[in-house]
Amino acid sequence: MYSYTWLQWLLFFYLYCFFGWVWESCYVSAKKHHWVNRGFLHLPLLPIYGSGAIVVLFVSLPIRDNPVLVYFAGAAAATVLELVVGLVMEQLFKVKYWDYSNQKFNYKGVICLSSTLFWGVLSVFLMEVAQKPIERAVLSLSTPLLASIVSVISAAFIYDTVISTKAALDLAKVLTSIEQAKKAMAEELRNMEEKAAAYMDEAKENLEVRMDEAKENFAVRMDEAKENLAVRMDEARENIGARVDDARENRAIRREQSLEEREVRRANIAARMDEAKENIAIRVDEARENLATRMDGARENMAVRKELSREEREARREAARQYMEEYQQKKAEFLAAQQERLDALMEKAYKVSKGAAKRNPGMSSRWFGDSIQRLRDRSVRKK
C-alpha cells in the first residue's frame, strides 16, 4: 500500500501541484479582493506544492499511524525543501518568488516559523484526509490509462517549464544589467566629486601659501627698515659724540691762549657747533627721508603684492569656477547618458517582462509582479 510505481508518484505530483495552485490562487485573491492567478508556469500548477507533498508522503507514509510524528517529520522536510528551492531560484533568477521578510522568526525571507507550522498541519491533513481518496483514485486507474495521462501532462509540464524558465532568465539578465549600470554610475559620480574636492583643496592650499609668503616678505622688509634706521641713528650719535669731544679738547687748549684767541676760537667753536648741529639735522633729516622712502617703498610693495595676490585669487577663483562649470556640464552629460542607458534597459526589461506576462499571466512572486507593474508604469510615463 505504501509502495507506488513511478507513474503513480508522477500523477500524485501533478495532482498536488494543481491543488496547491487552487489553494494559493484562492488565498491570495481573497487577501487582495480580486482574482490573482498564482504560479511560475502557464499551466495551473505550482511545483513547490507538488514537491512538498511528495516529500511529505515519502517521509510520512512509514509513520502515517502516528499523527504527532507525521506533523514534525512533514514540517521539517517541507521546510528544508522550501529553503533549498527558494535560495536556488533567487540565485538563478534574481527574483524572490515568495517573501516572508515581514514574518517573525524568518531566515532570509525564504522560510519562517509560521510557514513551518503550517507545513506540519498540512502534512497531517494530507495523510489523514487528502491522500486516502486520491490514493484510491490513482490506484484504480489501469496502467495504460495512467501512462497516457502522465505522458500528456508531463509533455505540457516540460514545455511550459522550459519557456517559463527562459523568460525568467531573460528578465534576470536585464535586472542584473540595470544593477550594474547603477553601480557604475554611482562609482563614476563618486570619482568626479572626489576629483573636484581635491582640486578645490589644492587651490585653497596654494592661496594660503602665497598669503603667508607675502606676510613674511613684508615683515622682513619692515625689520630691515628698522635696522637701517637704528644704524643711522647710532652713526649720528657717534658723530655728535666725536665732535663734542673735539670741541672740549680745543676748548681746553684755547684756555691757555690769549683772550683774543679764545674769543676767536669761541667763535670758531660756535661756528663748528652750528655746523655740527646743521650736519646732525641734515643727517637726521636724511635718515628720516630714507626711512620714509623705505616705508613708502614697503607700502607700495605690499600694495603691489596685495594687488597681485588679489589678481591671483581672482584668477584662481575664475579657474575654479570654470572647472566647476565644466564639472557640472560633464556630470549632467554623464547623468543624461546613464539615464538613456537605464531607460533603454528598463524598456528592454519591460518588453521581456511583458512577453513573459503574456506567456504566463500567473507569475507567482509578489516582488516579481510588483517589478513588472513598475516597469509598465515607467514605460507609460515615458510615452
Side-chain angles (χ1 to χ4, degrees):
M1 184 176 181
Y2 302 146
S3 178
Y4 305 116
T5 65
W6 66 272
L7 290 175
Q8 292 168 342
W9 278 111
L10 277 177
L11 188 55
F12 285 144
F13 171 76
Y14 294 136
L15 288 173
Y16 286 116
C17 285
F18 173 73
F19 294 147
W21 174 83
V22 172
W23 157 256
E24 182 83 8
S25 298
C26 293
Y27 175 73
V28 176
S29 298
K31 288 183 65 176
K32 294 185 176 295
H33 304 290
H34 63 85
W35 173 251
V36 178
N37 183 14
R38 301 284 284 180
F40 176 74
L41 305 175
H42 296 82
L43 296 173
L45 300 174
L46 275 177
I48 186 64
Y49 280 89
S51 302
I54 296 301
V55 169
V56 170
L57 287 174
F58 185 79
V59 300
S60 300
L61 281 174
I63 55 173
R64 68 185 306 173
D65 296 331
N66 191 332
V68 175
L69 292 179
V70 169
Y71 179 88
F72 286 105
T79 300
V80 172
L81 175 66
E82 189 176 32
L83 175 64
V84 173
V85 173
L87 293 177
V88 170
M89 293 186 72
E90 183 178 351
Q91 185 67 26
L92 184 62
F93 301 121
K94 311 301 180 184
V95 173
K96 279 189 175 182
Y97 286 89
W98 61 86
D99 191 0
Y100 299 135
S101 297
N102 58 345
Q103 300 291 328
K104 293 182 179 180
F105 308 107
N106 72 85
Y107 176 71
K108 295 186 177 181
V110 180
I111 58 174
C112 64
L113 180 60
S114 60
S115 175
T116 300
L117 298 176
F118 173 74
W119 282 117
V121 174
L122 196 62
S123 299
V124 175
F125 175 80
L126 177 67
M127 297 307 301
E128 298 295 329
V129 180
Q131 177 61 17
K132 294 178 181 179
I134 293 175
E135 182 183 55
R136 286 194 297 268
V138 172
L139 294 178
S140 65
L141 296 175
S142 63
T143 301
L145 180 59
L146 178 62
S148 300
I149 295 174
V150 170
S151 298
V152 172
I153 298 176
S154 296
F157 178 79
I158 293 172
Y159 175 76
D160 194 357
T161 301
V162 171
I163 60 174
S164 298
T165 302
K166 184 178 182 300
L169 289 174
D170 291 339
L171 182 59
K173 292 179 181 179
V174 174
L175 295 176
T176 302
S177 300
I178 292 174
E179 291 298 326
Q180 292 176 351
K182 288 181 178 179
K183 290 180 180 179
M185 182 173 65
E187 183 68 22
E188 185 66 22
L189 287 175
R190 185 165 56 254
N191 292 335
M192 293 175 68
E193 291 174 356
E194 289 177 355
K195 290 180 180 178
Y199 180 83
M200 294 301 293
D201 292 338
E202 183 179 358
K204 184 177 179 181
E205 291 177 359
N206 291 333
L207 179 61
E208 291 177 352
V209 169
R210 289 184 177 273
M211 289 296 293
D212 293 337
E213 290 178 353
K215 290 179 181 178
E216 292 177 357
N217 291 331
F218 178 74
V220 170
R221 289 183 177 273
M222 290 297 293
D223 292 337
E224 290 178 354
K226 290 179 180 179
E227 290 177 358
N228 291 330
L229 178 61
V231 170
R232 288 183 176 273
M233 292 296 292
D234 293 337
E235 290 178 353
R237 291 190 187 99
E238 291 176 357
N239 290 330
I240 292 172
R243 289 182 179 273
V244 169
D245 293 338
D246 291 340
R248 287 174 180 174
E249 291 177 356
N250 292 330
R251 185 176 180 181
I253 293 172
R254 288 192 178 109
R255 283 177 182 176
E256 299 176 354
Q257 294 176 351
S258 62
L259 181 60
E260 292 179 358
E261 290 178 351
R262 282 186 290 177
E263 291 297 331
V264 172
R265 291 193 177 274
R266 284 176 185 172
N268 291 332
I269 289 171
R272 290 191 177 187
M273 289 295 292
D274 293 336
E275 184 181 354
K277 289 179 180 180
E278 289 178 0
N279 290 332
I280 290 171
I282 291 171
R283 288 181 178 273
V284 171
D285 291 337
E286 288 178 356
R288 288 176 180 173
E289 289 177 359
N290 289 333
L291 177 60
T293 302
R294 288 180 177 273
M295 292 295 291
D296 292 338
R299 291 192 186 96
E300 289 178 0
N301 289 333
M302 187 63 187
V304 170
R305 287 184 176 274
K306 286 184 178 179
E307 186 65 28
L308 290 176
S309 178
R310 188 179 299 108
E311 291 177 357
E312 288 178 358
R313 288 199 299 270
E314 293 296 331
R316 286 185 173 275
R317 288 174 184 170
E318 181 64 22
R321 185 183 63 78
Q322 292 178 359
Y323 177 82
M324 290 304 297
E325 289 179 357
E326 293 177 358
Y327 165 73
Q328 294 293 337
Q329 183 178 0
K330 289 181 180 180
K331 180 178 179 181
E333 293 175 356
F334 176 76
L335 290 175
Q338 293 298 324
Q339 188 63 43
E340 291 180 1
R341 183 181 175 187
L342 286 174
D343 290 340
L345 290 173
M346 296 297 288
E347 183 67 23
K348 182 178 178 181
Y350 169 67
K351 291 180 180 180
V352 173
S353 61
K354 185 176 180 182
K358 286 182 178 180
R359 294 191 298 272
N360 181 12
M363 292 290 186
S364 66
S365 169
R366 182 180 63 204
W367 185 93
F368 185 71
D370 293 341
S371 299
I372 292 176
Q373 187 61 40
R374 286 198 298 272
L375 294 174
R376 291 174 178 169
D377 294 341
R378 182 180 180 85
S379 177
V380 170
R381 287 198 300 272
K382 183 179 179 182
K383 292 179 180 179

